[in-house]
Amino acid sequence: MQASVLDIQGIHKSFGNNQVLRGIDMRINAGEVVVLMGANGAGKSTLVKVLSGYHAADHGQMQLAGKPYSPRDAREAIHQGVVTVHQSIDDGVIPDLDVANNLMLDRLTSGAHGLWVSAKKLRQQASEVADAMGLDIDLNARVADLSVADRQMISIARAMAHAPRLLILDEPTSSLSATEAERLFTVIDRLRAQGVAIVYISHRMSDIRRLADRIICLRDGQISGVFDQAPLDLTAAVHAMLGQAINNADIEPATPGAPILTLHNVELAKGAAPVSLSVGDGEVVAFTGLLGSGMSALVETLFGLRPLSSGTMQVDGQPYAPGNVREALARGVFMSVKDRATNGVIGDFNIADNMTLPFLKAFTRGAFLSARQQRASTEQMIAQLGIVCQSHADSIGTLSGGNQQKVMIGRWLQSPSRVLLLDEPFQGVDIGARQDIGRHIRATAKGRATLVFVSELDEAIEIADRIIVLHEGAIAGEQSNRDIDLNALVAQASGKA
Amino acid sequence: MALVVYFSLAASGFANPRSAVFVLQSVAITGILALGVTTTLVVGGFDLSIGAVATTSLMLAAYCMVVLEQPAYVAVAVCLLMGAFIGLINGLLIVKFRIPDLLATLGMMFLLIGLQRIPTQGNSIATGMSLADGSTAEGTFSAAFLWLGRHRFDLILERLIPVPVVVFVLIAVAIWLFLGFTRHGRLMYAIGSNERATALVGAPVERYKIAAYMISGVTASIGGILLAARLGRGDIASGNNLLLDSVAAALIGFAVLGAARPNAFGTAMGALFVGILLQGMTMMNAPYYTQDFVKGAVLVVALMFTFYLSSRRGQSGRH
Amino acid sequence: MALVVYFSLAASGFANPRSAVFVLQSVAITGILALGVTTTLVVGGFDLSIGAVATTSLMLAAYCMVVLEQPAYVAVAVCLLMGAFIGLINGLLIVKFRIPDLLATLGMMFLLIGLQRIPTQGNSIATGMSLADGSTAEGTFSAAFLWLGRHRFDLILERLIPVPVVVFVLIAVAIWLFLGFTRHGRLMYAIGSNERATALVGAPVERYKIAAYMISGVTASIGGILLAARLGRGDIASGNNLLLDSVAAALIGFAVLGAARPNAFGTAMGALFVGILLQGMTMMNAPYYTQDFVKGAVLVVALMFTFYLSSRRGQSGRH
Amino acid sequence: EERPAPFDAPEDVTIALIRYISTGDFFQAYLSGVEAQAAALGVNLRVLDSRQDAALQADMVDQAIALGVDGIIIQHGLPESMKDAAQRAVEAGIDVVAFDVEVDNPAIPQVEQSDYLLGELALEQALADNGDRFTAGYVYVPGIAPLDRRNAAWEDFKDAHPGVTEAAVFGTLDNPIANSVANQARAVIQANPMINIFFAPYNEFAAGVKIAVDEMGLGEDIAIYSADISTSDIAAMREPGSPWAATVATNPTVVGEVSVRTLALLMAGEAPGQQVIVPPTLITQDFLNDNAITNMETLSENMPQFSHAEVALADWLPLPER
Ligand SMILES: Nc1ncnc2c1ncn2[C@@H]1O[C@H](COP(=O)(O)OP(=O)(O)OP(=O)(O)O)[C@@H](O)[C@H]1O
Ligand SMILES: Nc1ncnc2c1ncn2[C@@H]1O[C@H](COP(=O)(O)OP(=O)(O)OP(=O)(O)O)[C@@H](O)[C@H]1O
Ligand SMILES: [Mg+2]
Ligand SMILES: [Mg+2]
């Protein structure tokens, strides 16, 4: 039996009269990766925040390495060796500082660093931290100029740099591509070997399969299952977390109607083979690919965020070359953007206002907004997408990450579109909800072309009629979603096909 | 508010319609300016130039009528255009040149303070003043213009409600409805909270931001017009405290009703609050220097409660 | 800067060591205040109370010496303590009570403006003034205290560098080193950019924010002490202009060297820039109202270039 | 002795002082004069302070009317905004006196400290000390009524004395005024080394110029002539080697007393006259030194014409105690 690092008993936490954690007991051992599974809003992040000193528990005890542990803030937790990478990526980096400073931020907080910051020493130590994680980012770049994936990697690299006693990772891979995720896993393996206790939260089955020594399932703020017999029974774990089995409903690819969106010889990256494709009425097409595959380029060109470099596009047979977002919207091209915190969520608004934001005009009666109609529309979406909340008037900031994501998707499903673009729509969404949303999207697919951009193959398979793989700006493969050849897709994505 | 009750008891003659109107009248102009600032606060900006826009408008109105001998409606129109134009420039500096709002509007403030004095070499404008070419200015403030500052409508009592109060109330209601209940207002709040996300739902963010500064410029110029109409001359020294007092009103407005965000109703209440406080203290014969002290103390204490309590409530909040 | 060259040519007597020192002297006090504001800007805050802290310190120093007949070092110590204390209160209001910074420091500003007048019922403080109890104040500004405002150190020329300039330079260097090159400074920038993330890596965010306001309070009180030593009397003044000018200097500092963020070196340069401009214009006999105009115009144009260019460069930016 | 109505029952009499401006020693001293004289009469005093908000000041007149006061003193303000308000007060049957604001109303006596005379006396002293050939720096901010009136004296003086050259005009009301003016004055002296006289007709201006002159070590070569005085000005004028040669002032406390007495006469039905002028006094550095004067009180003791003005008097009218 390994040494116990963290013991918790009877942890309760509620926000107002919303009881989020209702008596959690668990024990985490040295050199073990414990995966916390739970539907969106189950209370995982709340538990993490209690462990890391961000929230205080209402009741319950915690012991760290046998000694009572009740951190009052992040500082105390870190001093006792509990290091956390939070779910919200923006909570992990300082946009106005450069990469080197971001990587070294936690060391700056300790007196051990000395008073004066030597730029040279800082850079040197930062590059050590970066190397340990296999990070290849210019240390002088301002973090504000980096992609979300890079930011995520920076906060992970910083947390993993010095073997803590307990490392908590809350959905660290939600914005990472497969290659980056694999680098993360290697480092996790190394830390595990060094005897670090690790709590890992993810909705990605592939992560869980790869890492878990033990799975603890959380449902409605209580532990609903613990799995530690190898091989881990994932199906049972999913059942425990959702309270029901999920049926891997096989997709019956629909026959596409008349083409709505066509691309002809569009160049996505310099020197790459031009892309031509067509998406028909009622069809759901998933695009997937690794970093630099040109997915962003495609999405941004389609939504008017990037000028069309060459070639032509058509919507409903009419030439389409949007110069900005508004022109795209005017043609019925909607997009749910990725990275909701920076690009989607209006933090000061409640759910209803967030949901109806693009279509406020439709909710205007006379000169004024009709709060009643906003509410009606929002409540309908909350029901359809299974958003876990107290009411439509909840502030968006109080929702769990996955539920915020559902609001972001719901936003664009309220009104019929011609082309619906969903860029990483499942960031942080649990498997059960993912399937519900997938079903909803497929059910309403008639009358529009739906393009889904995902970096996880699983997600593509769950939703699409057709899967297109991009590699370095060109189409590397295409399959109808029936009798999928997974190996071929993986090979095409990595350019080995 | 408890304040009203307290002063009613403490100072005889505090609680009557005339007294209420005095308070309204004394806060009308600051309040109008504060409403403009509120609009810029909503889009996440700030307008430091309002005080200067108001005094520029005051001087411009006087210049139009006294030196250029134009009728009232021309003076009013010119001032409103000027306000809109300054707002446009502020907006462009912020949106197109990416100058931080405080900085852009501070520069504009200095610029205007200088500019408004150049045509008259720093002198106040009054009928009969001598001009640079040796002649004297013959124009006058027309009765129609002075009406704007001095007429009082009958309501219950005869000649009770002065025009500036009516204008203040109208603007407050208009901005309250606009910000709170139209889609434009909602989008402006969205811009203030997450500009990028708002742009990605197709809102013309730059245009809204410019519009906010234009609204602020126009309201400030209205404030200036009313001030000119009340004073009956282009006095350069007036309007010194307009900026700070209206910023105070707008910021106090955050706290009203625990909204913790800029809102027109709160701003109007904030302005009133300060007005009642000062009026009450004046009636109680408090020396002028204690008024600043009490204003500050009440402000701090009131805000301590509001924000402390609201942060307890939504502990998690944005923080 | 081109400015220096221009004025040297245009106004004889502009370019010589004495003249340079005059410029430094005239910006020393604003500059010191601006450095404090810079510190609060770094942690993402803002301190509107500096002008009032400075004038309170001015009155307090005078009160200590003239009315309480204390020696210079006591007066200085009391003022510095007062500055630190006000900074502490500001910090606590912002950190513990979650009052927005603008609001908390605005309240403090009003409070202080009132407070500083209460002990003397709104009168200035000077030796020989009569006190409330009918006696006259017998204390004087001691020579040691006046030395702070008036002594000049020899450097190249005899009696060239006044004490306030030395203090300004020392504070500027200290704050520049502190913000730019110590871990505390780096964490303060981190707080300004993303407070929550900084807290989550274990930095004592609240303590740093309070410290920033305390630094600001202390620098403002130093400014006030130097002002008292220069004036040799406790003048009633609002300090509004001190506030605006030092905010201007701090904000112009953003643009210096294209840093686009608050920094002590930029602030010192910003203060100097404004000083050179005003000094040059006064020497050329420009009327005072053109000075504000030119100050505003130069500010706006300089910033247009800086920010427009820097936004071109890092186009991708945060936007 | 018998006092005329309504002062036979002074505790039932309320008068209001409606102020345009209050910050500063002058205004504070004025208020103390008003208070002292009101107390001597035994009437109630209500002070309404508009803090340089001319529009508010006009409202305050209405407010005073609504409060039912018996007499009003208007202290400073803008003629345009006060004219109508003052007329309303008169129509309401209230006795009104104006101090230093032209309300153009035959029913309202005007108490004045003659700013023109103030400027003129100071300039005459400059002439007496320096002859009629000198180069002057002039501190002026237009748009402020008393400064504008003092400016008229300066303009007339220049016309009358062609030997006087005006080398530079500057000035600012940026707070703290003395500090800002000192910065300007230094630049001016540097650019115009021939200046030997400063005309700074406002004590804050003079204090600023003095700081600049001291800092440049030119105390021997430059003389400052100003208007107004306060305790701290006395100290500044008496510093060894001080360039501040003379100032001309009316005692603000006396002006305050005169304002109340004028109102009292009016209320008692005795005609105080359309204009009540409080004469200014010349105060030179030598006089201060010779009499070892340290503050306003000792100045008053040594200069009877400064401590009391022989205007607006009546047998029944009690004067404040000295
Ligand atoms: N600050 C808060 N104020 C009010 N309610 C909150 C707050 N934070 C979380 N909640 C509520 O607590 C519940 C659990 O949220 P939590 O973030 O822990 O979920 P989660 O398991 O991490 O979900 P996800 O998988 O979507 O990240 C949700 O119902 C959420 O609305
Ligand atoms: N702003 C830009 N300027 C020039 N080239 C760019 C720019 N952004 C991307 N590229 C290039 O375009 C190609 C496609 O990049 P893109 O960002 O679309 O990748 P991606 O597959 O979307 O990656 P991810 O999914 O991780 O965001 C790459 O060769 C990249 O270097
Ligand atoms: Mg979560
Ligand atoms: Mg990309």
Side-chain angles (χ1 to χ4, degrees):
Chain A
M1 176 91 201
Q2 286 152 314
S4 148
V5 172
L6 182 75
D7 264 298
I8 63 179
Q9 299 102 30
I11 294 291
H12 283 262
K13 175 76 190 170
S14 46
F15 297 106
N17 44 17
N18 180 10
Q19 293 200 6
V20 175
L21 297 181
R22 300 192 281 178
I24 304 281
D25 302 317
M26 63 169 75
R27 170 190 169 102
I28 296 160
N29 297 324
E32 163 185 63
V33 177
V34 173
V35 168
L36 269 186
M37 283 176 73
N40 295 134
K44 303 179 297 295
S45 297
T46 305
L47 178 60
V48 165
K49 287 176 182 167
V50 169
L51 295 181
S52 61
Y54 188 82
H55 287 322
D58 298 339
H59 318 276
Q61 280 91 46
M62 304 193 275
Q63 287 92 31
L64 188 68
K67 293 203 203 81
Y69 170 70
S70 58
R72 272 171 308 175
D73 54 19
R75 189 174 166 71
E76 279 188 19
I78 290 169
H79 275 301
Q80 300 186 45
V82 176
V83 172
T84 309
V85 176
H86 288 274
Q87 178 174 12
S88 163
I89 295 159
D90 287 337
D91 288 350
V93 287
I94 310 295
D96 288 340
L97 293 183
D98 62 14
V99 173
N101 275 298
N102 265 284
L103 286 171
M104 299 303 297
L105 201 60
D106 52 349
R107 301 213 189 161
L108 290 177
T109 64
S110 77
H113 187 281
L115 177 63
W116 301 97
V117 178
S118 141
K120 198 162 132 245
K121 205 168 121 210
L122 183 95
R123 228 146 278 281
Q124 188 203 327
Q125 291 179 342
S127 79
E128 284 165 20
V129 173
D131 288 346
M133 197 59 200
L135 269 189
D136 182 26
I137 312 177
D138 176 10
L139 289 179
N140 296 316
R142 241 168 56 110
V143 166
D145 299 337
L146 299 181
S147 72
V148 175
D150 287 336
R151 295 185 202 191
Q152 176 81 298
M153 285 303 271
I154 288 170
S155 51
I156 294 173
R158 186 178 56 224
M160 319 252 294
H162 23 223
R165 244 193 274 199
L166 174 63
L167 177 67
I168 305 173
L169 299 164
D170 194 352
E171 301 197 30
T173 51
S174 62
S175 304
L176 299 187
S177 69
T179 353
E180 289 161 319
E182 190 46 46
R183 269 189 257 142
L184 169 65
F185 300 154
T186 319
V187 182
I188 290 181
D189 287 339
R190 201 178 64 223
L191 292 177
R192 167 162 49 191
Q194 288 170 13
V196 176
I198 295 166
V199 173
Y200 189 96
I201 297 173
S202 181
H203 293 294
R204 290 190 179 183
M205 283 303 159
S206 52
D207 295 9
I208 297 171
R209 237 177 263 129
R210 164 78 172 71
L211 290 173
D213 294 317
R214 192 146 64 98
I215 294 175
I216 298 180
C217 293
L218 224 58
R219 181 144 60 89
D220 294 338
Q222 283 173 321
I223 289 180
S224 58
V226 177
F227 301 85
D228 50 6
Q229 302 301 322
L232 295 168
D233 183 353
L234 286 183
T235 322
V238 169
H239 189 282
M241 91 181 230
L242 295 178
Q244 65 187 59
I246 50 163
N247 41 338
N248 268 330
D250 270 338
I251 295 224
E252 183 54 40
T255 358
I260 291 182
L261 174 73
T262 51
L263 272 67
H264 187 67
N265 285 343
V266 174
E267 196 182 72
L268 293 182
K270 280 226 164 52
V275 168
S276 298
L277 57 91
S278 147
V279 184
D281 191 341
E283 197 181 13
V284 179
V285 179
F287 291 80
T288 185
L290 301 178
L291 195 71
S293 61
M295 284 212 298
S296 296
L298 177 57
V299 168
E300 286 170 10
T301 311
L302 283 170
F303 199 48
L305 293 169
R306 202 190 271 225
L308 182 58
S309 49
S310 67
T312 55
M313 301 191 289
Q314 289 173 337
V315 170
D316 292 326
Q318 301 298 312
Y320 174 69
N324 58 42
V325 172
R326 279 188 303 139
E327 286 177 34
L329 290 171
R331 296 290 295 275
V333 178
F334 293 177
M335 172 160 103
S336 160
V337 286
K338 68 173 171 188
D339 303 332
R340 63 175 174 273
T342 38
N343 297 328
V345 170
I346 307 294
D348 286 348
F349 280 9
N350 62 22
I351 298 175
D353 279 336
N354 262 290
M355 190 89 94
T356 53
L357 193 68
F359 305 110
L360 288 178
K361 206 173 199 161
F363 296 98
T364 302
R365 293 291 163 268
F368 300 118
L369 286 171
S370 155
R372 203 160 41 85
Q373 303 207 3
Q374 281 182 292
R375 190 182 65 210
S377 174
T378 304
E379 277 176 347
Q380 193 185 351
M381 259 312 142
I382 288 176
Q384 276 171 2
L385 298 184
I387 296 171
V388 181
C389 62
Q390 310 290 99
S391 91
H392 67 95
D394 284 2
S395 166
I396 187 98
T398 66
L399 290 193
S400 78
N403 284 303
Q404 291 183 14
Q405 183 65 28
K406 293 183 203 167
V407 174
M408 293 299 107
I409 298 171
R411 195 184 255 184
W412 297 104
L413 295 175
Q414 291 175 100
S415 175
S417 52
R418 289 308 284 165
V419 178
L420 179 64
L421 307 171
L422 299 169
D423 195 2
E424 298 292 357
F426 302 122
Q427 272 176 341
V429 175
D430 72 57
I431 332 173
R434 203 159 80 199
Q435 294 203 338
D436 294 344
I437 294 173
R439 260 196 297 279
H440 186 75
I441 289 172
R442 291 189 60 80
T444 58
K446 264 267 154 299
R448 64 166 188 246
T450 308
L451 284 72
V452 186
F453 300 84
V454 290
S455 46
E456 276 281 270
L457 263 179
D458 293 358
E459 296 175 3
I461 294 166
E462 273 171 28
I463 192 171
D465 295 317
R466 184 154 56 112
I467 298 172
I468 295 178
V469 180
L470 292 178
H471 179 67
E472 290 184 352
I475 294 184
E478 183 171 341
Q479 285 189 29
S480 174
N481 194 0
R482 182 179 312 203
D483 313 321
I484 292 268
D485 180 352
L486 264 180
N487 293 334
L489 284 180
V490 171
Q492 285 157 355
S494 56
K496 287 175 196 137
Chain B
M1 295 197 208
L3 209 62
V4 177
V5 179
Y6 172 70
F7 283 126
S8 314
L9 298 177
S12 67
F14 186 81
N16 70 45
R18 293 232 180 260
S19 180
V21 171
F22 287 143
V23 172
L24 275 168
Q25 164 109 332
S26 69
V27 301
I29 291 171
T30 342
I32 291 172
L33 266 65
L35 288 165
V37 187
T38 305
T39 317
T40 61
L41 286 172
V42 165
V43 296
F46 204 96
D47 192 348
L48 287 175
S49 70
I50 42 159
V53 171
T55 48
T56 306
S57 161
L58 162 82
M59 293 300 281
L60 186 60
Y63 196 82
C64 281
M65 287 182 293
V66 174
V67 179
L68 305 180
E69 303 183 20
Q70 297 294 319
Y73 68 91
V74 174
V76 170
V78 168
C79 288
L80 293 179
L81 280 178
M82 184 278 300
F85 179 73
I86 301 292
L88 179 68
I89 304 283
N90 276 335
L92 289 175
L93 287 175
I94 290 162
V95 162
K96 295 290 175 201
F97 289 91
R98 314 262 162 134
I99 304 184
D101 41 27
L102 283 172
L103 198 40
T105 54
L106 185 82
M108 183 56 79
M109 178 186 102
F110 284 126
L111 224 141
L112 288 176
I113 289 179
L115 198 61
Q116 75 198 26
R117 292 176 180 191
I118 291 181
T120 57
Q121 284 90 46
N123 290 297
S124 296
I125 300 175
T127 306
M129 67 180 285
S130 47
L131 301 177
D133 64 7
S135 66
T136 50
E138 294 298 340
T140 52
F141 276 65
S142 70
F145 190 85
L146 293 175
W147 181 91
L148 287 175
R150 300 179 181 183
H151 180 77
R152 286 154 176 268
F153 295 104
D154 301 342
L155 185 88
I156 312 171
L157 298 178
E158 206 185 326
R159 290 179 36 70
L160 183 69
I161 312 280
V163 179
V165 171
V166 176
V167 175
F168 170 51
V169 172
L170 288 180
I171 294 183
V173 170
I175 292 199
W176 175 65
L177 288 175
F178 176 75
L179 289 178
F181 300 94
T182 71
R183 73 188 170 93
H184 303 295
R186 200 62 54 90
L187 286 171
M188 285 167 104
Y189 274 109
I191 291 170
S193 173
N194 188 341
E195 189 173 325
R196 186 174 159 126
T198 315
L200 284 172
V201 300
V205 169
E206 302 200 335
R207 259 185 265 162
Y208 276 117
K209 288 184 87 169
I210 294 177
Y213 285 93
M214 289 179 70
I215 292 176
S216 173
V218 170
T219 49
S221 72
I222 294 176
I225 293 169
L226 296 178
L227 199 57
R230 297 191 67 193
L231 299 183
R233 80 186 241 171
D235 182 62
I236 41 160
S238 306
N240 284 342
N241 299 323
L242 283 178
L243 173 64
L244 280 176
D245 283 352
S246 42
V247 167
L251 290 179
I252 295 174
F254 269 58
V256 172
L257 302 182
R261 65 181 190 177
N263 67 94
F265 179 75
T267 301
M269 287 300 115
L272 265 183
F273 177 77
V274 175
I276 291 173
L277 202 63
L278 294 186
Q279 167 86 358
M281 294 199 56
T282 304
M283 307 232 358
M284 290 176 68
N285 248 342
Y288 77 99
Y289 47 84
T290 55
Q291 301 198 1
D292 272 323
F293 177 71
V294 172
K295 185 155 111 188
V298 170
L299 206 143
V300 168
V301 171
L303 295 168
M304 257 163 58
F305 278 102
T306 319
F307 280 90
Y308 190 61
L309 292 183
S310 86
S311 79
R312 291 269 93 162
R313 208 171 349 106
Q315 228 195 30
S316 50
R318 284 185 287 163
H319 242 251
Chain C
M1 296 194 207
L3 209 62
V4 177
V5 180
Y6 172 72
F7 283 125
S8 316
L9 298 177
S12 66
F14 186 82
N16 69 45
R18 293 229 180 265
S19 179
V21 170
F22 286 149
V23 173
L24 275 167
Q25 163 127 352
S26 68
V27 301
I29 290 168
T30 349
I32 290 171
L33 266 64
L35 287 164
V37 186
T38 305
T39 316
T40 59
L41 286 172
V42 164
V43 295
F46 205 98
D47 192 348
L48 286 175
S49 70
I50 44 161
V53 172
T55 49
T56 305
S57 160
L58 162 81
M59 293 299 281
L60 187 59
Y63 195 81
C64 281
M65 288 182 294
V66 173
V67 179
L68 306 180
E69 304 183 22
Q70 298 296 318
Y73 67 90
V74 174
V76 170
V78 168
C79 288
L80 293 179
L81 279 178
M82 182 277 300
F85 179 73
I86 301 293
L88 178 68
I89 303 283
N90 276 334
L92 289 175
L93 288 176
I94 291 163
V95 162
K96 294 288 175 204
F97 290 91
R98 313 263 162 133
I99 305 183
D101 41 27
L102 284 173
L103 198 40
T105 55
L106 185 83
M108 184 55 80
M109 179 185 104
F110 286 127
L111 221 141
L112 288 176
I113 290 180
L115 198 60
Q116 74 195 30
R117 292 171 184 189
I118 291 179
T120 58
Q121 285 91 44
N123 290 297
S124 297
I125 299 174
T127 306
M129 66 181 286
S130 44
L131 302 176
D133 63 7
S135 67
T136 51
E138 294 299 339
T140 54
F141 275 65
S142 72
F145 190 84
L146 293 175
W147 182 92
L148 286 175
R150 301 181 180 179
H151 180 76
R152 287 153 175 268
F153 296 105
D154 301 341
L155 183 89
I156 313 173
L157 297 179
E158 208 184 323
R159 290 182 34 73
L160 184 69
I161 312 279
V163 179
V165 172
V166 176
V167 175
F168 170 48
V169 172
L170 287 180
I171 294 183
V173 169
I175 292 200
W176 176 64
L177 287 175
F178 176 74
L179 290 178
F181 300 96
T182 69
R183 67 188 183 90
H184 303 296
R186 200 62 54 89
L187 287 171
M188 284 167 111
Y189 274 109
I191 292 168
S193 174
N194 187 343
E195 186 173 328
R196 174 126 91 150
T198 314
L200 288 176
V201 299
V205 168
E206 303 200 335
R207 260 185 265 162
Y208 278 117
K209 290 185 85 169
I210 293 177
Y213 284 94
M214 288 181 70
I215 293 176
S216 175
V218 170
T219 51
S221 73
I222 294 176
I225 292 168
L226 296 178
L227 204 55
R230 186 175 192 207
L231 297 179
R233 56 204 240 174
D235 260 327
I236 284 290
S238 68
N240 284 351
N241 296 98
L242 285 177
L243 171 65
L244 281 177
D245 284 352
S246 42
V247 168
L251 290 179
I252 293 175
F254 270 55
V256 172
L257 303 182
R261 64 180 190 178
N263 67 95
F265 179 75
T267 300
M269 288 299 115
L272 264 183
F273 178 77
V274 174
I276 292 173
L277 203 64
L278 295 187
Q279 168 92 355
M281 293 195 61
T282 309
M283 292 188 64
M284 290 175 66
N285 243 340
Y288 79 102
Y289 49 86
T290 57
Q291 302 196 0
D292 274 326
F293 177 70
V294 172
K295 189 153 106 187
V298 170
L299 205 146
V300 169
V301 171
L303 295 169
M304 257 163 57
F305 277 102
T306 320
F307 280 90
Y308 191 59
L309 292 183
S310 85
S311 79
R312 293 266 94 164
R313 213 175 339 111
Q315 231 197 22
S316 49
R318 282 186 283 169
H319 245 254
Chain D
E1 91 240 44
E2 224 11 50
R3 290 189 191 174
F7 298 103
D8 46 357
E11 61 281 0
D12 299 336
V13 178
T14 303
I15 64 172
L17 170 66
I18 299 179
R19 320 183 76 189
Y20 176 60
I21 178 170
S22 49
T23 311
D25 292 339
F26 182 94
F27 308 100
Q28 205 57 41
Y30 177 86
L31 176 63
S32 70
V34 170
E35 283 171 342
Q37 183 67 65
L41 269 169
V43 298
N44 300 308
L45 173 68
R46 215 168 229 299
V47 182
L48 302 172
D49 183 0
S50 74
R51 332 173 107 228
Q52 293 192 66
D53 180 341
L56 177 61
Q57 194 191 10
D59 295 342
M60 286 178 156
V61 173
D62 293 319
Q63 199 175 348
I65 298 171
L67 287 170
V69 302
D70 307 293
I72 291 176
I73 301 169
I74 298 171
Q75 177 220 309
H76 296 102
L78 304 184
E80 288 82 352
S81 55
M82 288 316 289
K83 223 177 270 175
D84 294 353
Q87 179 59 33
R88 283 197 292 278
V90 170
E91 282 164 10
I94 298 173
D95 292 309
V96 182
V97 168
F99 166 53
D100 249 1
V101 50
E102 185 54 67
V103 291
D104 209 7
N105 191 323
I108 299 178
Q110 167 87 258
V111 177
E112 270 184 35
Q113 64 159 346
S114 170
D115 286 297
Y116 186 91
L117 217 55
L118 224 59
E120 196 175 49
L121 268 177
L123 288 167
E124 275 167 11
Q125 184 63 26
L127 209 62
D129 292 349
N130 303 279
D132 64 356
R133 264 183 190 285
F134 55 79
T135 309
Y138 175 40
V139 196
Y140 175 45
V141 172
I144 310 297
L147 297 183
D148 286 345
R149 292 195 291 263
R150 292 166 196 185
N151 181 55
W154 171 243
E155 295 295 339
D156 291 349
F157 179 80
K158 271 194 303 184
D159 290 344
H161 302 278
V164 172
T165 11
E166 180 188 82
V169 183
F170 62 100
T172 170
L173 290 173
D174 281 1
N175 248 313
I177 298 173
N179 186 53
S180 314
V181 169
N183 290 338
Q184 287 191 334
R186 238 182 10 211
V188 165
I189 295 170
Q190 207 182 4
N192 308 282
M194 19 356 132
I195 290 181
N196 57 346
I197 298 293
F198 273 95
F199 181 46
Y202 172 36
N203 55 351
E204 293 289 337
F205 290 169
V209 174
K210 174 181 175 293
I211 290 170
V213 172
D214 287 348
E215 281 174 358
M216 299 182 78
L218 296 173
E220 299 297 308
D221 309 329
I222 290 179
I224 303 167
Y225 295 86
S226 75
D228 308 330
I229 194 159
S230 71
T231 294
S232 54
D233 299 334
I234 293 172
M237 286 176 76
R238 289 195 57 198
E239 270 174 29
S242 171
W244 196 338
T247 191
V248 177
T250 37
N251 185 342
T253 312
V254 172
V255 181
E257 291 168 8
V258 170
S259 303
V260 176
R261 292 206 299 267
T262 308
L263 181 63
L265 290 177
L266 191 66
M267 289 167 75
E270 300 176 20
Q274 188 58 38
Q275 259 191 340
V276 179
I277 295 182
V278 185
T281 319
L282 174 74
I283 302 155
T284 61
Q285 195 186 69
D286 294 340
F287 177 85
L288 295 177
N289 280 331
D290 295 347
N291 296 284
I293 287 165
T294 53
N295 61 17
M296 296 290 274
E297 283 72 22
T298 47
L299 179 63
S300 294
E301 285 160 18
N302 285 278
M303 220 179 216
Q305 72 272 35
F306 187 72
S307 66
H308 171 72
E310 286 291 320
V311 289
L313 299 173
D315 296 339
W316 56 267
L317 236 173
L319 295 175
E321 292 195 20
R322 296 256 168 239

